[in-house]
Amino acid sequence: MSVEMMFSRVTGFGPGAMIMTLDGELPVEWLESGDYVVTRDHGAQRILTIKRSRGIGPDGLPLPAPLHLRPRESASPEGLIEPLRLSPHHRVLVASPHVAIHFGHTEAMAEIGAMSRRTAPRIEPGAPTLSYHHIITEHHELIMTCSIWAETTGRETAWMLDVAPEVQRTSRVFDADATTPRMCLTNQEARFLRDLLSPEESLLHLLAA
């Protein structure tokens, strides 16, 4: 069994992620069903349900260590404001000019872990048991977190979760023909973009703010 298969491929927002809502930025731990998050494409959208995985993913596998972005890694005043932890499989919005040049789209989505230069997870001594938060809205959306755009829960992870039947009927995320907010790069394509960065640039230079 490969190392990749030993950990859950669940997506999710990690501990302390700040999510932009109609009430301003709030920690993901504070969010509840009925709250409204700010989306890139459809304004404020209501959270139909928010599920949480702690230690073990909904597929029964251990949660992977989060990718941890820190404000000091940004060279732009519009860059990351708060520390951000995401599942390495969580997709974020990429708006580098290289996306248009090489893939013919102005924006795309890619797994955050595939674009990172880190080869091993950052160890955080004394950290509590890892948890990921899964936000389900009517559509698969892009929402603002810590000044970058990241996905709400998409079809693959949503179907792993214990979601009430009425939410499954209401959310288009569960449809067989559900689509993502933008085209999705493969991990190989995401790594290609990463390798185009200069030594002075960080992962945040690829992300849309």
Side-chain angles (χ1 to χ4, degrees):
M1 180 179 293
S2 69
V3 173
E4 180 71 17
M5 293 177 63
M6 292 169 61
F7 292 92
S8 175
R9 290 189 57 83
V10 69
T11 65
F13 295 90
M18 300 296 292
I19 308 294
M20 184 60 72
T21 74
L22 285 185
D23 296 315
E25 280 194 321
L26 295 176
V28 68
E29 290 85 355
W30 292 14
L31 298 185
E32 300 177 348
S33 302
D35 288 337
Y36 280 80
V37 290
V38 176
T39 74
R40 187 171 178 89
D41 300 317
H42 301 113
Q45 292 293 312
R46 185 168 65 92
I47 296 176
L48 298 180
T49 189
I50 181 165
K51 310 296 288 186
R52 294 177 166 93
S53 300
R54 183 174 172 83
I56 301 295
D59 51 6
L61 295 173
L63 295 178
L67 188 117
H68 189 179
L69 297 175
R70 294 184 176 184
R72 63 179 176 79
E73 295 174 349
S74 175
S76 166
E78 291 81 25
L80 203 65
I81 298 172
E82 301 283 347
L84 176 61
R85 297 173 181 85
L86 293 171
S87 161
H89 303 296
H90 205 94
R91 287 175 292 204
V92 294
L93 186 63
V94 183
S96 164
H98 293 298
V99 174
I101 293 170
H102 295 285
F103 303 110
H105 293 261
T106 56
E107 297 179 336
M109 293 165 59
E111 289 189 9
I112 189 76
M115 293 187 293
S116 174
R117 288 186 174 123
R118 298 191 68 86
T119 57
R122 177 179 283 138
I123 304 301
E124 299 184 69
T129 301
L130 176 62
S131 60
Y132 284 131
H133 306 261
H134 318 290
I135 297 172
I136 296 179
T137 50
E138 181 179 356
H139 299 275
H140 192 184
E141 300 277 6
L142 290 164
I143 61 176
M144 177 67 76
T145 176
C146 299
S147 81
I148 68 171
W149 295 97
E151 66 177 339
T152 55
T153 302
R155 187 171 184 269
E156 298 87 351
T157 292
W159 272 114
M160 297 184 200
L161 301 169
D162 181 19
V163 175
E166 57 268 25
V167 173
Q168 293 185 21
R169 290 191 293 268
T170 303
S171 177
R172 302 291 182 85
V173 170
F174 295 91
D175 291 352
D177 58 352
T179 58
T180 58
R182 301 291 189 278
M183 70 160 289
C184 294
L185 302 180
T186 67
N187 285 354
Q188 182 177 2
E189 290 169 337
R191 287 189 286 268
F192 169 77
L193 286 182
R194 174 199 64 197
D195 292 342
L196 293 176
L197 292 173
S198 70
E200 293 75 30
E201 292 178 310
S202 76
L203 169 58
L204 295 172
H205 286 84
L206 293 175
L207 307 185

